[in-house]
């Protein structure tokens, strides 16, 4: 072999590798694919490029922005946009619409949300625009500063809000996804949610015929309830699941549970690991059977748990879901579950690394 030939071979190899590295998707794209037999190839690709995500939680989904201690600052958009492929944006639409059946959205709030959505999309990332916290529709007690509506307009309001959101965003890029309702539960468990999901998707489809929409099972998007979800006939849906097991670790000390869980629980011993693996395996089995791709839209733990345990928990969750080709969004950015300190305006380092490295 002449030395010139050798040089050409080495150069070609180097160029190919360099090209592959340059064109390698940023911020980690899944290699492992889920079963997508029931959806379009576009939605299948979306499911696999959602990758690593974060929830900008307790901001636009608080009864009024700021009520729950965090506001959506413009600086956060760049901070999350650089690091994540996807932002899930929980929004409390119902409290920002008139109480009657038409549920006309408050224009000031709707514009505020749209500005955030546009700024996030300008980062080149996916945005999951999520309908969050309509307490009454689940039969829950109202949050402070959440107003009550007549029971007979609950469903009409939900549908009319979706009609307005759909029209408003119908020309937005396809990287904007809709999520029908966060964690349907209580009165919506089972058939009521299947009916409402079908009706609301039909309304969205009038103006957004192919936009990818996320729909989750009842019992707080629990994997155990996947079998009860009747996915509407549609080629552009992704199924949203949430998981907070081991619950007595992730939710220790939180004030909003009826009976607060004691503080001091660690993670993750063999039994806790098995609990997490079993959930991921069940999710994978459901996907294999039905062909709708899944997305883990929430998981996370509160800062009442010790940091080493939280790091272990995040790494374990990531590896269990990533190894099955399931993208995720951590709950959340800057609350007590968060990975970013809004006081110091810095990442909480071991948690950031656990999520992203
Ligand atoms: C709720 C949050 C809550 C989180 C963890 C979310 O779906 O919207 O208020 O902190 O779950 O429990």
């Amino acid at each position: 072999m002449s030395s010139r030939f050798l040089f050409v071979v080495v150069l070609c190899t180097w160029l190919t590798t360099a090209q592959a590295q340059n064109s390698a998707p940023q911020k980690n794209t899944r290699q492992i694919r889920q079963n997508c037999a029931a959806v379009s190839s576009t939605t299948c690709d979306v499911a696999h490029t959602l990758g690593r995500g974060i929830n900008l939680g307790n901001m636009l989904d608080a009864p009024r922005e700021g009520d729950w201690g965090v506001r959506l600052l413009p600086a956060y958009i760049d901070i999350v946009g650089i690091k994540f492929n996807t932002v899930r944006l929980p929004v409390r639409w119902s409290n920002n619409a008139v109480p009657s059946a038409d549920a006309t959205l408050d224009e000031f709030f709707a514009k505020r949300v749209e500005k955030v959505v546009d700024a996030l999309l300008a980062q080149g990332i996916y945005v999951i625009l999520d309908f969050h916290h309509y307490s009454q529709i689940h039969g829950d007690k109202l949050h402070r500063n959440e107003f009550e509506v007549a029971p007979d307009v609950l469903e009409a309001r939900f549908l009319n809000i979706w009609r307005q959101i759909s029209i408003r965003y119908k020309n937005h890029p396809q990287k904007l996804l809709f999520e029908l309702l966060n964690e349907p539960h209580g009165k919506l468990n089972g058939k009521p949610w299947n009916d409402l999901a079908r009706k609301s998707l039909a309304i969205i489809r009038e103006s957004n015929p192919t936009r990818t929409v996320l729909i989750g099972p009842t019992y707080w998007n629990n994997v155990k309830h996947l079998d009860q979800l009747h996915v509407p006939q549609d080629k552009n849906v992704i199924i949203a699941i949430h998981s907070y097991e081991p619950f007595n670790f992730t939710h220790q000390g939180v004030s909003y549970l009826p009976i607060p869980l004691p503080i001091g629980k660690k993670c993750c011993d063999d039994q806790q690991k098995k609990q997490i693996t079993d959930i991921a395996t069940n999710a994978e089995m459901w996907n294999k059977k039905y062909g709708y791709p899944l997305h883990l839209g929430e998981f996370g733990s509160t800062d009442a748990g010790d940091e080493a345990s939280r790091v272990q928990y995040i790494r374990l969750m990531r590896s269990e879901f990533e190894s099955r080709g399931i993208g995720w969004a951590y709950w959340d950015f800057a609350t007590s579950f968060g990975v970013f300190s809004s006081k110091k305006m810095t990442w909480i380092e071991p948690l950031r690394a656990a999520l992203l490295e």
Side-chain angles (χ1 to χ4, degrees):
M1 214 190 292
S2 79
S3 57
R4 182 187 287 182
F5 180 70
L6 199 68
F7 172 74
V8 172
V9 170
V10 170
L11 184 71
C12 285
T13 317
W14 179 80
L15 279 174
T16 320
T17 319
Q19 224 169 19
Q21 275 167 358
N22 283 340
S23 63
Q26 298 294 300
K27 296 183 277 184
N28 182 53
T29 298
R30 307 276 81 78
Q31 300 302 323
I32 301 146
R33 307 281 286 187
Q34 301 184 60
N35 177 9
C36 281
V39 299
S40 69
S41 57
T42 312
T43 284
C44 183
D45 288 344
V46 171
H48 291 98
T49 40
L50 288 175
R52 301 168 174 181
I54 190 126
N55 281 277
L56 289 181
N58 285 16
M59 298 173 180
L60 302 178
D61 53 316
R64 298 173 314 194
E65 188 178 355
D67 273 1
W68 288 354
V70 272
R71 284 177 179 278
L72 209 157
L73 305 181
Y76 293 165
I77 308 237
D78 288 338
I79 292 171
V80 295
I82 291 164
K83 302 250 187 260
F84 291 91
N85 305 63
T86 301
V87 163
R88 183 168 178 263
L89 188 65
V91 177
R92 191 184 294 241
W93 298 104
S94 60
N95 215 45
N96 290 284
V98 298
S100 49
D102 53 303
T104 307
L105 287 171
D106 174 66
E107 189 51 26
F108 183 79
F109 180 77
K111 283 223 172 77
R112 161 87 178 114
V113 174
E114 195 171 344
K115 222 174 137 189
V116 172
V117 168
D118 287 343
L120 288 167
L121 287 171
Q123 300 277 332
I125 59 177
Y126 283 97
V127 177
I128 301 175
L129 185 58
D130 162 48
F131 196 116
H132 218 86
H133 288 318
Y134 187 9
S135 307
Q136 235 185 307
I137 206 163
H138 312 273
D140 289 352
K141 261 189 16 211
L142 296 180
H143 292 131
R144 191 154 178 254
N145 292 331
E146 185 178 20
F147 63 76
E148 191 173 359
V149 301
D152 60 340
V153 300
L154 276 170
E155 183 177 315
R157 289 184 85 247
F158 181 74
L159 298 175
N160 283 330
I161 290 175
W162 266 120
R163 183 170 288 110
Q164 295 168 76
I165 302 171
S166 306
I167 293 168
R168 190 167 199 117
Y169 289 100
K170 66 178 179 180
N171 294 323
H172 268 63
Q174 292 296 313
K175 278 202 162 176
L176 173 68
L177 315 182
F178 294 154
E179 182 170 345
L180 287 187
L181 181 63
N182 178 61
E183 302 186 342
H185 62 272
K187 284 188 175 165
L188 288 181
N189 277 342
K191 185 169 164 17
W193 174 235
N194 287 331
D195 293 342
L196 191 57
R198 194 188 60 253
K199 287 187 212 164
S200 40
L201 185 63
I203 286 174
I204 291 172
R205 289 293 175 239
E206 288 168 9
S207 49
N208 294 255
T210 56
R211 188 178 300 285
T212 302
V213 174
L214 287 99
I215 307 175
T218 48
Y219 208 74
W220 290 273
N221 292 157
N222 199 307
V223 168
K224 276 193 200 148
H225 275 226
L226 276 172
D227 277 331
Q228 289 167 44
L229 178 68
H230 294 174
V231 185
Q233 283 291 312
D234 195 287
K235 289 267 173 213
N236 292 299
V237 292
I238 292 176
I239 306 306
I241 50 173
H242 293 178
S243 179
Y244 284 102
E245 298 299 346
F247 198 77
N248 56 2
F249 164 70
T250 64
H251 278 66
Q252 56 189 296
V254 302
S255 57
Y256 52 84
L257 294 179
I259 304 166
L261 294 163
I263 290 176
K265 191 80 188 165
K266 292 186 173 300
C267 198
C268 306
D269 63 23
D270 285 350
Q271 201 202 340
Q272 292 168 317
K273 283 183 186 157
K274 183 175 179 322
Q275 215 178 346
I276 290 173
T277 308
D278 286 351
I279 291 166
T281 306
N282 288 339
E284 181 186 14
M285 277 161 42
W286 186 88
N287 164 256
K288 290 234 152 71
K289 189 164 165 196
Y290 293 101
Y292 290 98
L294 298 163
H295 178 252
L296 177 68
E298 286 190 22
F299 73 102
S301 77
T302 164
D303 60 5
D306 70 275
E307 205 165 77
S309 294
R310 295 182 75 198
V311 166
Q312 226 202 320
Y313 162 77
I314 289 175
R315 288 200 180 280
L316 191 59
M317 286 296 287
R318 270 187 60 198
S319 79
E320 287 296 334
F321 284 86
E322 287 179 3
S323 66
R324 291 168 170 87
I326 302 175
W328 48 261
Y330 183 78
W331 185 276
D332 63 359
F333 179 59
T335 72
S336 60
F337 281 66
V339 289
F340 185 87
S341 162
S342 56
K343 283 204 189 91
K344 299 185 192 151
M345 287 301 275
T346 54
W347 291 100
I348 302 166
E349 193 40 50
L351 301 178
R352 182 206 61 80
L355 272 183
L356 295 169
E357 283 164 15

